[in-house]
Amino acid sequence: MEDELPEPLLTPFWAFGSDGVLTMHAALLAKLRTVQVSVHEVQSQLDAARRTDPAHTVEFALPHAACASTHDESAPTWAAPAYRELPFKLLRLVRSLTPNEFDIDILLDALLRIDEARILPALRACPLSRLRVYDHEHTHFFRPPAESYSPYAELLRVIDLVPRAGTLLDLGSGMGRAAMAALLVRRDVHYIGYEVVLERVRVANDALARMGAGGRVRVFCRRLGHRGRLKLPSLEDNSVVIFMFNPFAPATLRHMLAQLRVWATKHRFIIVFKAMAEELAAEHRVW
């Protein structure tokens, strides 16, 4: 008999208890089975993540009936090639979900150790001058998920636009969610991410290193506004997709669009904006 679960908070697949534990609903378990993922497999990788990072902030409770077997200490570690297999299967599942079923992102982030709370200790130790830069650049710390990152389903659609052996240039790459997705589903794509928050860049590159990304997928710490210069890849026309979420302060957006406009006089590329209608309307004279 299945345990009774409290009503889910914000999501159809998870219940958030008063003890701070996320409990998986049977609906998500059924979804996982469609891509040959067992709860035991998920639990093993979450346990591996905790052993690597004991301070991991999200705690999960998975259906007990499906976790009858004991944890195997020989389960894949972060450095093992098998580690990439589970996130890859989950990204396959993402493609089959409806727009309101983005809750698989919670599990993917936990497996990849993408968690904004992980950067808190480093932020507390930041020099005041750097925090002022972050505030000026509208870095949106600890905002609701829909305002602070793009769902994996949207990122996959952006990656699909990249031609074979092309490049995805991610401006405002955060903690590397697009980088992870590109690495897992498109081994032919070259990825370059720029992010102003050093602490987010460290989280992204740490995860990418564990996945064996090498030089094909790279995230750099760079301030793109003010005097910052965007180093655009020297590749063939129509081989570059530029993705901009909405992380920029107005002055930074103006500066970025001016640089892209110059580049557009010499090269053909695809640019994908997200949630920028008002900002672009305000900068129409530049673009």
Side-chain angles (χ1 to χ4, degrees), residues 111-123:
L111 292 168
L112 298 170
R113 291 175 60 201
I114 297 177
D115 185 350
E116 189 91 322
R118 293 187 63 225
I119 68 176
L120 267 175
L123 286 178

Side-chain angles (χ1 to χ4, degrees), residues 1-286:
M1 179 177 179
E2 294 183 357
D3 297 336
E4 286 191 11
L5 299 174
E7 287 298 314
L9 175 65
L10 301 180
T11 76
F13 290 157
W14 300 96
F16 190 72
S18 58
D19 55 358
V21 176
L22 282 171
T23 302
M24 182 189 293
H25 281 257
L28 180 53
L29 176 58
K31 297 280 186 181
L32 293 176
R33 286 172 176 160
T34 65
V35 288
Q36 289 76 53
V37 172
S38 69
V39 173
H40 178 62
E41 183 181 4
V42 174
Q43 186 69 67
S44 296
Q45 294 240 12
L46 289 174
D47 289 347
R50 287 196 192 94
R51 291 198 302 274
T52 306
D53 183 7
H56 194 64
T57 56
V58 181
E59 185 175 350
F60 292 87
L62 306 184
H64 299 294
C67 295
S69 56
T70 58
H71 172 63
D72 181 4
E73 289 297 329
S74 64
T77 62
W78 290 100
Y83 162 64
R84 295 192 293 267
E85 196 172 314
L86 178 56
F88 173 74
K89 289 180 180 178
L90 294 181
L91 284 170
R92 282 177 51 208
L93 177 59
V94 166
R95 291 187 181 277
S96 69
L97 298 179
T98 59
N100 65 335
E101 292 179 328
F102 61 88
D103 305 70
I104 196 71
D105 287 23
I106 296 172
L107 189 55
L108 269 165
D109 282 349
L111 292 168
L112 298 170
R113 291 175 60 201
I114 297 177
D115 185 350
E116 189 91 322
R118 293 187 63 225
I119 68 176
L120 267 175
L123 286 178
R124 292 191 185 103
C126 263
L128 183 59
S129 58
R130 192 190 302 169
L131 292 175
R132 284 174 174 161
V133 169
Y134 293 168
D135 182 60
H136 174 77
E137 294 293 350
H138 295 192
T139 44
H140 302 302
F141 289 116
F142 309 111
R143 298 291 294 273
E147 298 178 21
S148 58
Y149 61 74
S150 296
Y152 284 103
E154 292 183 5
L155 295 176
L156 291 175
R157 288 197 291 272
V158 174
I159 293 168
D160 286 343
L161 295 173
V162 182
R164 183 167 181 78
T167 295
L168 176 60
L169 182 61
D170 190 359
L171 307 181
S173 55
M175 286 184 287
R177 297 171 110 243
M180 309 297 178
L183 178 65
L184 288 164
V185 304
R186 287 286 303 276
R187 302 292 291 181
D188 62 297
V189 167
H190 295 268
Y191 173 94
I192 301 171
Y194 291 138
E195 168 61 41
V196 68
V197 179
L198 176 61
E199 293 74 20
R200 287 173 174 166
V201 172
R202 286 172 174 165
V203 169
N205 284 328
D206 183 48
L208 288 169
R210 283 193 301 273
M211 296 175 70
R216 189 178 62 83
V217 178
R218 296 173 293 171
V219 179
F220 300 95
C221 185
R222 182 165 298 164
R223 187 177 180 184
L224 299 175
H226 190 46
R227 297 177 182 175
R229 280 290 164 188
L230 176 61
K231 292 185 178 180
L232 297 167
S234 300
L235 298 172
E236 297 178 1
D237 284 354
N238 299 316
S239 67
V240 178
V241 172
I242 300 174
F243 177 55
M244 300 171 68
F245 177 54
N246 191 10
F248 302 131
T252 299
L253 177 60
R254 189 179 308 115
H255 185 68
M256 288 300 309
L257 292 178
Q259 292 185 70
L260 291 174
R261 184 180 182 186
V262 171
W263 200 48
T265 63
K266 302 176 182 179
H267 302 279
R268 296 174 62 86
F269 57 91
I270 297 173
I271 183 166
V272 181
F273 296 107
K274 175 181 168 66
M276 283 184 154
E278 294 181 4
E279 289 85 350
L280 289 173
E283 304 300 335
H284 70 279
R285 288 173 296 180
V286 176

